[in-house]
Amino acid sequence: MTTATDAETAPATPPVTADDRGAVVLDAVTKRYGDQVAVDALSLTIQPGEFLSLLGPSGCGKTTTLRMIAGFEQPDEGDIKVSGTSVRGVPPYRRDVNTVFQAYALFPHLSVAENVAYGLQQRRTPKAEIREKVTQALDLVQMRRFGDRKPTQLSGGQQQRVALARALVNRPAVLLLDEPLGALDRQLREEMQLELKLLQARLGITFVFVTHDQGEALSMSDRIAIMRAGRIEQLADADTVYARPSSAYVAAFVGQQNFFRGEVSEAGAAVRSPHALVRGSDPRLAGTAQGEAAVRPEYITIAADAGDALPAANATRGHLIGVSHLGDTMQYLVQLGGDQSLIVRRPTPDAPALRIGDPVVCTWADHHVLLFPADAAAEDGGYIAPPTA
């Protein structure tokens, strides 16, 4: 029981410091919708000024997590702190957080400048200060000259910039972005990825970015939290999740992989599939009966089959069933058998001249092989298997 004396002598809540501002901490956060667990005891610490992406397929819990940080949803269990202070039960408008959605939700009857100023007006900010802050925000996104236009007079990319300016006009501690580039075409999306990263680096604001697009996450993030069934499967920088995925689920979701499934052999260092003995450089599957070996398309070499004997491991024969020109690379689709095909990518200048129907040989090095225990649950939950004919 807390006494009056205890209350009088208890230390006051420390003020938020510059080091705390923008930090986000989720402590064992759980969110349920009826019997469905959308977010399951998730714990995550986001550093001030970090660009962190929540990446995963539909239904993995990434948007629900973002909405709980924003205050649009409340956790059933656990706590959320923003800038060192718990925000559980705090409404969205009282949090030092702003959100940009895929649907920009601009007011069509207001000009660009009026859209950006709207939140400041609701807070009864002095008019002179509003003008100054709106100008600064539009300058940040290079939209000042469009200040008098209506949203319907803008392109999709310009509307996205206005939505960003509106979210940034008060310089929040945390900016939440819920798939904001999803409505843009590919070229504009790639341009905005670069602009977003440059803007975040310039402002030093914490960005939490939700996406199902691995390319967006890899190109912009300081760290990526790959989510699966309401939990974080792996949290690391882009290099780590691409080169050293923690599970077959992560390996399949980030980039493309060719998977070989079968019995584990060679004391855990290889997987014997129907089409090849796939050997890695680390016997990490010792004591495991069934496993999966993964090799990325860019690590596989391809050549016309001259009929020579194949190496004992990391080689296979097949027939070419597809060739695609991807600009800087050539992509080959090789049929290994009735149930599996292989994707191979080679730099265009070094790509062999092969035709559909040619018999080919594919080989790869053991240090490019990733080994994982068999993961049937991952296959059922959006796992990306190699293509079949």
Side-chain angles (χ1 to χ4, degrees):
M1 178 177 177
T2 302
T3 66
T5 302
D6 292 331
E8 289 168 1
T9 59
T13 302
V16 175
T17 67
D19 291 338
D20 295 326
R21 190 169 192 264
V24 180
V25 178
L26 289 84
D27 183 10
V29 170
T30 296
K31 180 64 180 179
R32 302 182 185 88
Y33 296 102
D35 295 334
Q36 181 182 359
V37 179
V39 176
D40 188 7
L42 186 147
S43 293
L44 171 65
T45 298
I46 305 169
Q47 301 298 330
E50 183 175 22
F51 195 126
L52 182 131
S53 288
L54 300 175
L55 174 66
S58 298
C60 70
K62 58 187 185 296
T63 295
T64 300
T65 300
L66 193 84
R67 289 177 63 82
M68 286 191 289
I69 298 172
F72 301 124
E73 302 281 355
Q74 294 297 323
D76 296 309
E77 298 171 17
D79 193 21
I80 299 173
K81 293 182 179 179
V82 175
S83 301
T85 302
S86 175
V87 293
R88 183 160 184 173
V90 177
Y93 62 87
R94 291 187 57 194
R95 302 186 184 197
D96 196 6
V97 169
N98 274 340
T99 307
V100 177
F101 298 99
Q102 181 174 347
Y104 307 133
L106 301 175
F107 297 113
H109 62 288
L110 299 180
S111 69
V112 164
E114 289 168 341
N115 266 278
V116 176
Y118 182 81
L120 298 173
Q121 293 169 341
Q122 298 305 302
R123 297 185 182 189
R124 302 184 185 277
T125 305
K127 289 184 178 180
E129 186 178 344
I130 289 176
R131 285 194 296 271
E132 181 181 358
K133 287 188 172 183
V134 168
T135 298
Q136 291 173 351
L138 290 175
D139 282 343
L140 277 174
V141 296
Q142 303 173 38
M143 288 292 292
R144 190 205 283 201
R145 64 191 180 97
F146 298 98
D148 294 332
R149 291 194 186 181
K150 298 291 176 62
T152 54
Q153 298 173 306
L154 304 176
S155 68
Q158 290 170 336
Q159 290 182 38
Q160 201 252 17
R161 288 184 174 91
V162 176
L164 276 172
R166 185 177 60 183
L168 291 169
V169 70
N170 269 332
R171 299 295 175 94
V174 181
L175 184 66
L176 308 174
L177 302 108
D178 189 5
E179 306 209 39
L181 309 182
L184 305 180
D185 61 55
R186 179 179 176 180
Q187 182 176 352
L188 184 54
R189 188 164 64 246
E190 291 174 351
E191 292 174 1
M192 289 306 303
Q193 288 171 15
L194 179 59
E195 288 191 26
L196 271 178
K197 183 58 182 174
L198 291 174
L199 184 61
Q200 188 265 344
R202 178 180 173 186
L203 296 176
I205 292 174
T206 304
F207 276 31
V208 184
F209 188 92
V210 161
T211 182
H212 64 273
D213 187 316
Q214 55 177 291
E216 289 182 355
L218 290 170
S219 65
M220 293 189 290
S221 310
D222 297 317
R223 289 190 301 163
I224 303 170
I226 299 168
M227 296 191 64
R228 174 185 183 183
R231 292 176 174 266
I232 294 176
E233 185 86 355
Q234 184 171 9
L235 174 62
D237 59 79
D239 286 341
T240 300
V241 297
Y242 190 85
R244 297 185 298 281
S246 62
S247 67
Y249 174 87
V250 175
F253 196 81
V254 179
Q256 270 188 309
Q257 296 278 9
N258 294 289
F259 280 89
F260 298 85
R261 302 181 178 94
E263 293 183 358
V264 175
S265 63
E266 298 190 2
V271 169
R272 188 176 297 279
S273 83
H275 305 291
L277 175 66
V278 187
R279 179 187 297 143
S281 56
D282 179 14
R284 60 178 298 180
L285 296 182
T288 306
Q290 295 289 317
E292 306 187 53
V295 189
R296 293 203 181 275
E298 62 266 30
Y299 295 149
I300 300 175
T301 61
I302 185 171
D305 188 353
D308 300 330
L310 292 180
N314 296 340
T316 189
R317 282 189 163 96
H319 285 81
L320 193 63
I321 59 172
V323 181
S324 302
H325 200 302
L326 305 181
D328 56 349
T329 61
M330 293 292 293
Q331 177 172 285
Y332 305 91
L333 188 60
V334 179
Q335 187 70 43
L336 302 184
D339 62 342
Q340 185 171 347
S341 54
L342 201 66
I343 298 175
V344 182
R345 293 198 191 102
R346 304 305 305 163
T348 299
D350 303 323
L354 298 169
R355 296 182 179 181
I356 293 175
D358 285 350
V360 294
V361 170
C362 298
T363 59
W364 53 91
D366 59 0
H367 60 273
H368 286 146
V369 174
L370 300 171
L371 298 173
F372 305 101
D375 189 352
E379 296 177 34
D380 294 339
Y383 185 88
I384 305 171
T388 57

